[in-house]
Amino acid sequence: MNKIVVYTAIFGGCDDLLDPKFVPDNCDFVCFTDSDFKSDIWDVRKVIPYYEQPVRNSRYYKTKPHIYLSEYEVSLWLDGTFIVEKDINELVDKYLSDVKFIKSGDTETEKKHNIVSTDPNKVVIIKIILLSKRSDK
């Protein structure tokens, strides 16, 4: 079973940190924030904002799971206004089980060919910044 992280970023007091209703054993929940949130479920990582605009700070962490969450095989971005209500593993199994990321070392090739589905009958469209699966684990 994959080691999964669900992550979010909440800056500027825009949202409350909402606890998930379902927490799988192989899943961690991480929140990057400038607020003093307390949670028994979320790993709240208080960070210094890079920008004055809360949205830009959220986007910064949203687009960098490969840097800040590199220990996980699968990372799932969750908007701060959403609540996980079911097993995340079902989503990963359904939509990522046949997805491979190209690790070419060539930045231009990687930009052009981010995702390849091994099932030719299945079209998989996933925004890299929202959902990522590491192929080097």
Side-chain angles (χ1 to χ4, degrees), residues 27-71:
C27 187
D28 292 334
F29 289 79
V30 174
C31 175
F32 298 98
T33 186
D34 59 351
S35 298
D36 292 320
F37 292 126
K38 303 288 184 222
S39 175
D40 292 331
I41 298 172
W42 290 91
D43 173 5
V44 178
R45 298 184 185 180
K46 191 166 182 183
V47 294
I48 297 170
Y50 285 96
Y51 308 102
E52 290 182 26
Q53 304 87 356
V55 171
R56 287 186 72 196
N57 287 306
S58 292
R59 285 185 190 146
Y60 177 83
Y61 289 97
K62 178 185 199 178
T63 60
K64 294 178 176 40
H66 59 289
I67 295 172
Y68 295 103
L69 303 166
S70 62
E71 66 272 26

Side-chain angles (χ1 to χ4, degrees), residues 114-126:
N114 285 320
I115 300 175
V116 176
S117 175
T118 57
D119 180 351
N121 299 316
K122 190 182 222 181
V123 176
V124 179
I125 301 173
I126 301 172

Side-chain angles (χ1 to χ4, degrees), residues 82-113:
F82 286 81
I83 299 174
V84 174
E85 293 188 346
K86 296 185 178 180
D87 190 351
I88 290 293
N89 288 293
E90 293 175 18
L91 176 72
V92 171
D93 291 344
K94 183 173 182 180
Y95 295 105
L96 288 179
S97 62
D98 70 335
V99 175
K100 292 183 181 179
F101 286 79
I102 294 173
K103 289 284 188 182
S104 68
D106 175 2
T107 307
E108 287 305 310
T109 302
E110 290 173 4
K111 285 180 186 174
K112 291 176 187 171
H113 307 287

Side-chain angles (χ1 to χ4, degrees), residues 1-45:
M1 194 173 280
N2 292 320
K3 184 63 177 166
I4 299 170
V5 63
V6 174
Y7 70 107
T8 193
I10 301 173
F11 287 88
C14 295
D15 295 308
D16 291 324
L17 183 59
L18 306 172
D19 283 339
K21 293 183 179 178
F22 187 89
V23 180
D25 290 337
N26 66 322
C27 187
D28 292 334
F29 289 79
V30 174
C31 175
F32 298 98
T33 186
D34 59 351
S35 298
D36 292 320
F37 292 126
K38 303 288 184 222
S39 175
D40 292 331
I41 298 172
W42 290 91
D43 173 5
V44 178
R45 298 184 185 180

